[in-house]
Each structure stands twice: as structure tokens, then as C-alpha cells.
């Protein structure tokens, strides 16, 4: 009987505010709104960081030069890196991570406009997948970088890749909490 009473009170509250029960599901509570905005902000920041990381050539600093995913630069010249399973897989998983982040941003944005709860859930799943893809990219690069045998120093582009990966996982957790807050 208490569930009937709660249901009646919910309907009467909707009627007093001239809001249908379907529309009441579309109203964002302050906590839900904070979680949604936080998740979207983290996703955008993560996407920006992975774009900068992929595009720049400072993944590793060597004596007299540096290199990234696409080029090796010395103090005199930059040359395009060739193909290899390690660098190609790092490139592929970093780009996949970026594409998943962009998809998560779209889904998270749609979560503001509609009452369709699965946008929020999809954004969380895409964000987690982007994080896993980022972990694979960064781990493969780390394993094949030669840091065990050569005097190399991981540089700021590499660090941005890891920060982006961590932020996408955190964004997934926040988006999942926003999804659970809606229920």
C-alpha cells in the first residue's frame, strides 16, 4: 500500500506542477545535472588531451632529439617514422580511443536533451572502452619503447596520453553514477 501512496503522491505532484509523469522523468535533479556536466567536461578534456598527445612528437626524449607516433626529430631534421607492429598498434588504439571519446561526448550531450536514459549508459560504456583502448595503446608503446636498454625519457606527449586514459575512465565512472542517479 505504501507504494500505491507514493505513486499517487508522485502523480499529484506532477499534476500540481502541470507536468506529466513522462515529463517528470526528463527533469534533471541538481545532483544528476552536476554528474552529467562533470562527465561531459571530463570527456571533453580527455579528448583534447588525446588529440594533443597523438599529434605531437614528444613521446620520448632522446639525446639530441625526440619522437612521437609519427615522426623522429633531431636537432637538424625530422623524419617520418616507418611502419612496425608496435607503433602501428599504438597509433590504432590511440585513434580508436579518440573515436570512442568523441562518441561518448555525443551520447553524454544527448543525455541532457532527452529522457532516454540509455544515452547516459552508452556514454559510460563508450568512455570505459576508450579508457581500455588508451591503456592498450600506452602499454604497447611503453613495452616497445626500448626504455629497458636505451637511455630514453618519456616526455610530455606520452604523459598526456596516460592522463587522457585516466580521465576517460573517471568520466565513465561519473557517467555511470549519473545513470544510476536517474533510476
Amino acid at each position: 500500500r505504501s507504494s500505491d501512496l507514493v505513486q499517487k503522491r508522485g502523480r499529484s505532484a506532477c499534476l500540481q506542477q502541470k507536468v506529466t509523469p513522462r515529463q517528470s522523468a526528463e527533469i534533471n535533479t541538481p545532483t544528476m545535472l552536476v554528474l552529467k556536466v562533470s562527465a561531459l567536461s571530463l570527456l571533453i578534456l580527455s579528448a583534447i588531451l588525446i588529440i594533443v598527445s597523438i599529434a605531437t612528437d614528444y613521446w620520448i626524449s632522446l639525446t639530441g632529439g625526440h619522437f612521437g607516433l609519427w615522426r623522429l626529430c633531431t636537432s637538424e631534421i625530422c623524419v617520418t617514422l616507418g611502419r612496425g607492429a608496435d607503433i602501428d598498434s599504438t597509433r590504432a588504439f590511440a585513434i580508436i580511443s579518440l573515436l570512442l571519446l568523441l562518441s561518448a561526448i555525443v551520447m553524454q550531450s544527448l543525455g541532457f536533451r532527452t529522457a532516454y536514459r540509455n544515452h547516459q549508459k552508452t556514454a559510460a560504456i563508450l568512455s570505459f572502452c576508450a579508457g581500455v583502448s588508451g591503456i592498450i595503446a600506452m602499454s604497447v608503446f611503453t613495452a616497445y619503447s626500448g626504455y629497458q636498454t636505451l637511455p630514453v625519457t618519456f616526455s610530455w606527449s606520452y604523459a598526456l596520453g596516460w592522463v587522457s586514459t585516466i580521465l576517460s575512465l573517471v568520466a565513465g565512472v561519473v557517467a555511470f553514477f549519473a545513470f544510476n542517479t536517474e533510476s
Side-chain angles (χ1 to χ4, degrees), residues 117-131:
R117 292 185 50 232
N118 284 339
H119 289 307
Q120 202 64 46
K121 185 177 175 182
T122 303
I125 291 169
L126 288 169
S127 182
F128 284 127
C129 291

Side-chain angles (χ1 to χ4, degrees), residues 49 53 58-60 138 154-166:
L49 292 178
S53 178
Y58 288 88
W59 282 55
I60 288 186
M138 301 309 293
F154 293 107
S155 196
W156 60 269
S157 297
Y158 175 80
L160 288 180
W162 275 113
V163 171
S164 171
T165 298
I166 292 165

Side-chain angles (χ1 to χ4, degrees), residues 46-64:
S46 182
I48 290 169
L49 292 178
I50 197 69
I51 288 169
V52 172
S53 178
I54 290 170
T56 55
D57 297 326
Y58 288 88
W59 282 55
I60 288 186
S61 295
L62 302 164
T63 305

Side-chain angles (χ1 to χ4, degrees), residues 56-68 71-75 77-79 81 153 155:
T56 55
D57 297 326
Y58 288 88
W59 282 55
I60 288 186
S61 295
L62 302 164
T63 305
H66 54 86
F67 74 91
R71 296 186 314 169
L72 168 66
C73 296
T74 64
S75 56
I77 191 167
C78 289
V79 295
L81 286 177
T153 304
S155 196

